[in-house]
Amino acid sequence: TAFLQGDYGEGERNVYADVPPDARSLFGITAEQVLKLEGSVYGLRTAPRAWHQKVTNDLLSLGACQHPLDQCVFSFVHKGVLIGAVGVYVDDFLFVEGTSPEWRKMKQSILALYSWGKHEQQQFTMCGVRYKQHSDFSITLDQRSYVDSLNPADLKSDTLLQSLKEGEAITDPKWLKRFSGATGALQWLVPNTRPDLAAEVSIGAASPVTVSSIK
């Protein structure tokens, strides 16, 4: 629903949408009628950019400084001192909070911009990564629950793999899809908590699928 809070510029593009029967009843429209979109909705290719642009404009209007290397990170400075920061991942906001009165006032201004869901502190999971802040204010990140949710393949019982030689390429669509999915799951670990796997996972994703690469 975050995209619904984006800028209402879709009306200028004349985009129309058909809707399912339950929505027709809700809106009171007939089977021959369609809806004209006035705002960004989930599913439009332009919606993510429109939402990001609105968030960017909103935070900059409050005096935020957009990071030159990561445009989803915004810092707030008062009299030359960093008082707080916000990281934005689509519709998830990660607050790096200070204790100054200026930051408390700024945070209230940010919270007033949108309708929010749940708020979590100290320990929470965001995008598959668990964040935990300790009593000494240090922060640790882990993806244990994400790793535990991955299902390893049983290679020993697969008749296709047993029939192939060690370096022979696999062309079976079923196995190629499974390998691609497994590689993608590992790639989510690399930039967050397991940079040590970066080279091995990247090489595996770019190499021909063989019995050796799967193992």
Side-chain angles (χ1 to χ4, degrees), residues 43 125-126:
T125 299
M126 180 172 133

Side-chain angles (χ1 to χ4, degrees), residues 105-165:
K105 182 178 179 180
M106 180 60 67
K107 184 180 178 182
Q108 290 305 311
S109 298
I110 298 173
L111 295 179
L113 292 173
Y114 316 108
S115 296
W116 300 83
K118 62 181 179 180
H119 296 256
E120 297 178 292
Q121 301 182 60
Q122 307 306 324
Q123 182 172 312
F124 55 90
T125 299
M126 180 172 133
C127 301
V129 181
R130 185 178 68 164
Y131 296 77
K132 184 176 182 179
Q133 186 171 36
H134 303 276
S135 58
D136 62 354
F137 300 108
S138 63
I139 299 173
T140 55
L141 284 70
D142 74 78
Q143 291 179 277
R144 172 54 56 191
S145 60
Y146 175 77
V147 172
D148 291 342
S149 70
L150 301 179
N151 296 317
D154 184 3
L155 303 181
K156 293 183 179 180
S157 63
D158 192 279
T159 56
L160 172 63
L161 296 185
Q162 301 306 318
S163 66
L164 296 175
K165 297 179 181 179

Side-chain angles (χ1 to χ4, degrees), residues 1-208:
T1 59
F3 290 167
L4 297 177
Q5 301 182 65
D7 292 324
Y8 290 88
E10 289 299 331
E12 301 175 359
R13 297 203 305 138
N14 292 321
V15 179
Y16 297 86
D18 196 4
V19 294
D22 55 342
R24 292 186 177 281
S25 176
L26 179 66
F27 290 113
I29 61 176
T30 67
E32 292 76 24
Q33 293 177 305
V34 293
L35 296 180
K36 180 180 179 180
L37 299 182
E38 295 293 338
S40 296
V41 296
Y42 182 80
L44 289 178
R45 294 183 178 182
T46 56
R49 184 180 185 279
W51 167 245
H52 174 71
Q53 193 60 55
K54 175 173 174 54
V55 171
T56 298
N57 292 338
D58 288 343
L59 296 181
L60 292 180
S61 69
L62 293 177
C65 298
Q66 192 172 25
H67 199 288
L69 300 181
D70 189 337
Q71 295 188 7
C72 292
V73 176
F74 301 84
S75 59
F76 294 85
V77 177
H78 179 71
K79 293 183 178 180
V81 178
L82 179 67
I83 60 174
V86 176
V88 181
Y89 183 83
V90 190
D91 59 344
D92 290 320
F93 283 57
L94 185 63
F95 287 83
V96 182
E97 301 197 343
T99 58
S100 67
E102 290 79 15
W103 169 251
R104 288 196 294 268
K105 182 178 179 180
M106 180 60 67
K107 184 180 178 182
Q108 290 305 311
S109 298
I110 298 173
L111 295 179
L113 292 173
Y114 316 108
S115 296
W116 300 83
K118 62 181 179 180
H119 296 256
E120 297 178 292
Q121 301 182 60
Q122 307 306 324
Q123 182 172 312
F124 55 90
T125 299
M126 180 172 133
C127 301
V129 181
R130 185 178 68 164
Y131 296 77
K132 184 176 182 179
Q133 186 171 36
H134 303 276
S135 58
D136 62 354
F137 300 108
S138 63
I139 299 173
T140 55
L141 284 70
D142 74 78
Q143 291 179 277
R144 172 54 56 191
S145 60
Y146 175 77
V147 172
D148 291 342
S149 70
L150 301 179
N151 296 317
D154 184 3
L155 303 181
K156 293 183 179 180
S157 63
D158 192 279
T159 56
L160 172 63
L161 296 185
Q162 301 306 318
S163 66
L164 296 175
K165 297 179 181 179
E166 193 74 13
E168 187 175 351
I170 297 175
T171 58
D172 182 82
K174 180 193 70 173
W175 252 111
L176 293 177
K177 183 177 180 180
R178 292 178 65 183
F179 184 77
S180 176
T183 303
L186 293 176
Q187 286 177 330
W188 183 239
L189 290 172
V190 169
N192 293 301
T193 57
R194 293 299 304 272
D196 56 303
L197 298 178
E200 188 173 359
V201 172
S202 296
I203 292 173
S207 303

